[in-house]
Amino acid sequence: MNGLYLLIPTFFILLLTMPVFIEVKGTLNVLNMSGVLSVFVFKKKIQHICYQIKGKTFILQDEGGTNEKEVAFDSQEVILYEEFVKQIKNKTRLKELFVFYNIGLSDAFLSAMVSGTINIALLIFFTSIKNKKPTASLGVYDTVSYNKEVFEISVKGKVSISLFDVVYSFVNSVILSKKRANNKI
C-alpha cells in the first residue's frame, strides 16, 4: 500500500522528462517583408501569427487580424525571446527541417543562377547540421518562376524537448534578460 503513494511523484517526474514534439512553420515574402508563423504541439495548433517587418519594428497580428501589436527590435520582449532561444538551442533535438522557396527575378537565366546558388548554400548548411544531428531529416524544395518577380521562403521544422528543459530555459532567460536590461540603463 505504501508503494502506491510513490506513483504520484513518479507520474510528475515522467511528465516533466517526457519529450514534447514542437513543429514550427514559417513563411516570409521577401518583396514586401511579411509572413506567417505557426506553432504546433503534438500536431495541435497553439499559435498563429501574421507579421510584417517595417524598418526596425515588427507588426504582429493574430489569426483573425483583430489584434495588432507593434514591437521594436530592441524591446524587452525581443531581448527575452533572444535569450530564450540561446538557452533552449542546445537542449532541443532536431527531428526534421525542410526549406521551400519560390524565386523569380523576371529573367530566366538570372533566376536559375540565383536558385542554384541558394540550393548550394542550403545544402552546405544542411551538411553541417547533419554532422551534428545525424538522425535529422532535411530537405530543400525549390520552385523557379522564370517570367515573374517573386521571392518567398517557407520553413518547416520539428524538434523535441522535455518540459523541464523548457521551463528551466524560460526562467533562466527571464533572469538573464532582466540583467541585460539593467546593464543598458
Side-chain angles (χ1 to χ4, degrees), residues 72-185:
F73 280 121
D74 58 349
S75 70
Q76 185 68 22
E77 289 179 54
V78 174
I79 292 172
L80 176 65
Y81 288 134
E82 185 179 306
E83 286 293 332
F84 183 64
V85 168
K86 282 181 191 176
Q87 293 294 319
I88 211 164
K89 182 173 62 171
N90 292 330
K91 295 175 178 75
T92 60
R93 288 168 293 288
L94 182 65
K95 298 295 182 189
E96 61 184 39
L97 179 63
F98 298 109
V99 176
F100 307 87
Y101 70 91
N102 184 7
I103 188 166
L105 301 172
S106 299
D107 179 23
F109 176 75
L110 189 59
S111 297
M113 293 300 285
V114 170
S115 174
T117 305
I118 291 172
N119 275 350
I120 290 171
L122 284 172
L123 290 175
I124 290 170
F125 174 67
F126 283 170
T127 303
S128 67
I129 290 176
K130 198 68 164 172
N131 283 334
K132 294 174 188 168
K133 314 247 185 211
T135 60
S137 298
L138 307 170
V140 178
Y141 301 96
D142 63 341
T143 305
V144 181
S145 301
Y146 294 108
N147 57 358
K148 62 181 178 178
E149 191 170 321
V150 63
F151 194 6
E152 298 171 339
I153 301 170
S154 178
V155 176
K156 177 185 171 195
K158 189 175 189 181
V159 296
S160 68
I161 188 167
S162 69
L163 195 58
F164 175 77
D165 287 335
V166 172
V167 172
Y168 176 77
S169 297
F170 184 74
V171 170
N172 201 11
S173 62
V174 167
I175 293 168
L176 290 175
S177 66
K178 288 191 182 208
K179 282 184 182 179
R180 199 165 128 186
N182 290 337
N183 289 340
K184 285 187 176 181
I185 297 175

